[in-house]
C-alpha cells in the first residue's frame, strides 16, 4: 500500500499504519522502499556525504567502514532525510548490541522496569537474565525491557527534559553519533540524550514527532540492530500520508532540516530476510559468553537507538519536579500504542 494510494486526509497516516500493522491477512510489502538494494530509483536519490569529515581510523574506532564506502541515500520529497544502509564493519554490530543489552540499561540510567520495581531489582538486568537466556527459558527481565533513557532523561508525562534528571552520556555512543553526524554535514554534534527502544515481535511505535529538544537545527540519529522493521515517514501534519521503508540491522537514519520534525512511526517488526543473518555469522568482538546471550535475544527482537542534541550552545534546561512512576509508565505505554 503505497502512500500515493491513500488520499491526504484526517486518517491518512493512521490508515497506512493499521495496514502494515495487521496480521490477517498480512500486508502487501511490495511497495515498501528497500535501501539495501544499493541503487537509486524513482524516489531514492544518492545523498552527499563529507568524505573528509571522518578519517578511516576514526571511523574504524567505532566500528564503521570508511565514509567513502557508505551507501547513503535521500528520498525525494523529504529534504534533510538521509538513510545509510549498514555502514558497520563486519563483526562490529555485535559490540553495539552488547552495549544496548548489557551496559546501557545499568544504573544510573533509567528504564521502564524502574517504574514498577525496586531499584535493587533492576540493578543488574543482564546478570539476572543471562543464565536464563542461555538456557532458552523465558521470560527474563531483559525480555521485559521496553525502553532505556540516557543523558537527559526524557519525561514521558510532560514530554520534556530537565536539568534535574540527567546522567553522564556514554562516551562510546557519543563517539559513534558524532562521527555519523559529521559525515552527514553536522560537525560539532553533542550527544545529550538518547532513547533505546526494545521491540519484541508484536511491538510497535505509535505515530509521533520528536520535538521535545530545544535545538531542532541539529539532527536526530537512529541506529537499528537485530530484526527488521517497517518505518513510516510522514509530513508535518497527521493528514499527510507516509512513505514506508525497511529498516534492517545496522541501518542508520538521519532526520535533519525540513525532515527533523516529521511524523513517523514503526507499525511492525519483521523477521530478518534471508541473507541478513550477518549478526549470526560474524565473529563478534565480544566474549562468546556475552554473544550467546545477545544472539539469543536478537533472534526474535530489535533494538533501536535514537540520539539527540537537546540544547543549543549556551542554553540550559529548567529544573522540574520528578513525575510519579505510575504516570511515567502510562505515558510511555501510550507512546508505544497510540495511532
Amino acid at each position: 500500500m503505497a502512500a500515493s494510494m491513500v488520499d491526504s486526509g484526517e486518517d491518512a497516516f493512521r490508515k497506512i499504519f493499521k495496514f502494515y500493522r495487521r496480521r490477517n491477512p498480512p500486508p502487501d510489502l511490495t511497495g515498501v522502499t528497500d535501501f539495501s538494494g544499493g541503487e537509486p530509483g524513482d524516489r531514492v536519490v544518492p545523498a552527499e556525504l563529507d568524505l573528509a569529515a571522518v578519517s578511516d581510523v576514526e571511523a574504524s574506532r567505532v566500528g564503521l567502514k570508511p565514509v567513502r564506502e557508505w551507501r547513503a541515500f535521500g528520498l525525494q520529497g523529504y529534504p534533510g532525510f538521509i538513510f545509510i544502509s549498514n555502514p558497520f564493519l563486519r563483526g562490529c554490530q555485535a559490540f553495539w548490541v552488547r552495549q544496548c543489552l548489557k551496559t546501557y540499561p545499568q544504573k544510573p540510567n533509567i528504564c521502564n522496569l524502574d517504574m514498577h520495581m525496586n531499584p535493587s531489582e533492576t540493578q543488574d538486568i543482564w546478570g539476572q537474565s543471562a543464565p536464563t537466556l542461555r538456557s532458552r527459558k523465558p521470560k527474563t527481565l531483559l525480555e521485559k525491557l521496553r525502553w532505556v533513557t540516557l543523558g537527559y532523561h526524557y519525561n514521558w508525562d510532560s514530554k520534556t527534559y530537565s536539568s534535574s534528571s540527567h546522567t553522564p552520556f556514554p562516551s562510546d555512543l557519543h563517539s559513534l553519533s558524532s562521527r555519523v553526524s559529521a559525515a552527514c554535514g553536522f560537525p560539532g554534534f553533542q550527544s545529550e540524550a538518547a532513547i533505546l527502544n526494545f521491540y519484541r515481535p508484536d511491538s510497535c511505535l505509535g505515530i509521533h514527532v520528536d520535538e521535545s529538544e530545544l535545538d531542532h537545527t541539529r539532527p536526530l540519529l537512529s541506529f537499528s540492530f537485530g530484526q527488521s522493521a517497517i518505518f513510516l515517514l510522514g509530513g508535518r501534519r497527521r493528514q499527510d500520508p507516509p512513505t514506508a521503508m525497511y529498516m534492517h540491522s545496522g541501518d542508520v537514519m538521519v532526520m535533519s532540516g525540513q525532515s527533523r520534525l516529521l511524523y513517523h512511526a514503526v507499525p511492525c517488526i519483521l523477521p530478518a530476510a534471508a541473507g541478513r543473518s550477518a549478526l549470526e555469522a560474524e565473529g563478534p568482538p565480544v566474549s562468546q559468553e556475552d554473544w550467546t546471550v545477545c544472539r539469543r535475544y536478537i533472534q526474535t527482537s530489535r533494538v533501536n537507538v535514537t540520539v539527540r542534541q537537546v540544547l543549543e550552545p549556551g542554553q540550559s534546561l529548567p529544573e522540574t519536579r520528578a513525575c510519579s512512576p505510575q504516570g511515567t509508565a502510562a505515558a510511555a505505554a501510550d507512546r508505544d500504542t497510540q495511532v
Side-chain angles (χ1 to χ4, degrees):
M1 182 187 227
S4 60
M5 297 171 61
V6 179
D7 293 332
S8 293
E10 183 179 357
D11 295 322
F13 201 132
R14 184 169 176 265
K15 285 179 180 177
I16 295 180
F17 183 98
K18 288 190 170 184
F19 173 81
Y20 286 110
R21 181 71 181 151
R22 79 185 189 193
R23 296 185 179 277
N24 190 21
D28 179 2
L29 302 180
T30 55
V32 179
T33 298
D34 191 348
F35 292 96
S36 65
E39 295 295 332
D42 291 339
R43 298 197 62 193
V44 177
V45 296
E48 254 187 64
L49 299 176
D50 186 346
L51 303 184
V54 181
S55 71
D56 293 358
V57 172
E58 290 174 325
S60 66
R61 283 175 179 164
V62 292
L64 295 171
K65 301 173 184 175
V67 177
R68 63 182 176 277
E69 296 180 15
W70 295 5
R71 293 179 297 129
F73 307 96
L75 202 58
Q76 287 187 359
Y78 295 94
F81 176 76
I82 302 173
F83 192 105
I84 307 170
S85 182
N86 187 11
F88 290 92
L89 292 165
R90 182 176 176 81
C92 290
Q93 285 188 58
F95 170 81
W96 295 107
V97 172
R98 195 272 306 273
Q99 293 299 90
C100 290
L101 297 180
K102 183 176 183 178
T103 303
Y104 299 151
Q106 292 180 2
K107 297 292 171 285
N109 299 325
I110 299 174
C111 71
N112 63 292
L113 300 177
D114 296 322
M115 304 301 107
H116 49 82
M117 298 178 69
N118 294 325
S120 60
E121 296 177 296
T122 60
Q123 185 65 38
D124 186 8
I125 294 172
W126 174 274
Q128 295 183 62
S129 303
T132 302
L133 270 172
R134 290 192 196 101
S135 62
R136 296 178 173 268
K137 296 176 183 177
K139 185 174 187 182
T140 66
L141 288 182
L142 199 56
E143 292 168 300
K144 295 178 182 179
L145 205 56
R146 292 296 174 263
W147 55 263
V148 170
T149 55
L150 311 175
Y152 286 112
H153 297 286
Y154 186 71
N155 184 316
W156 300 94
D157 275 341
S158 64
K159 303 187 189 311
T160 60
Y161 299 97
S162 166
S163 61
S164 59
S165 184
H166 176 267
T167 54
F169 195 91
S171 59
D172 55 1
L173 185 55
H174 169 65
S175 295
L176 174 65
S177 302
S178 63
R179 283 159 174 75
V180 170
S181 58
C184 292
F186 296 94
F189 178 83
Q190 295 300 312
S191 309
E192 294 175 326
I195 297 176
L196 281 65
N197 283 309
F198 300 84
Y199 294 83
R200 302 296 290 166
D202 59 347
S203 298
C204 68
L205 183 65
I207 304 165
H208 69 284
V209 176
D210 290 287
E211 59 185 356
S212 299
E213 296 74 30
L214 302 188
D215 185 0
H216 295 153
T217 67
R218 311 302 280 174
L220 177 74
L221 309 181
S222 171
F223 302 91
S224 293
F225 303 105
Q227 298 300 295
S228 300
I230 298 294
F231 179 78
L232 300 178
L233 182 63
R236 296 294 293 267
R237 307 173 305 158
R238 283 280 294 254
Q239 299 95 310
D240 299 327
T243 296
M245 62 194 79
Y246 288 106
M247 286 192 298
H248 300 302
S249 190
D251 288 344
V252 179
M253 292 193 309
V254 179
M255 296 175 67
S256 67
Q258 295 181 46
S259 292
R260 174 63 177 80
L261 296 175
L262 299 183
Y263 279 98
H264 54 279
V266 177
C268 64
I269 307 304
L270 304 170
R276 298 205 170 276
S277 57
L279 274 173
E280 306 272 335
E282 292 176 351
V286 298
S287 71
Q288 187 58 49
E289 184 179 31
D290 283 356
W291 182 237
T292 299
V293 178
C294 292
R295 185 174 179 272
R296 164 68 171 147
Y297 182 88
I298 62 171
Q299 282 176 343
T300 57
S301 302
R302 171 178 179 261
V303 182
N304 179 254
V305 185
T306 54
V307 182
R308 312 104 187 283
Q309 178 169 328
V310 176
L311 302 169
E312 295 179 10
Q315 274 188 322
S316 59
L317 287 167
E319 289 192 22
T320 57
R321 182 171 58 86
C323 64
S324 69
Q326 293 79 10
T328 295
D334 181 65
R335 184 185 188 227
D336 288 343
T337 57
Q338 181 182 5
V339 299

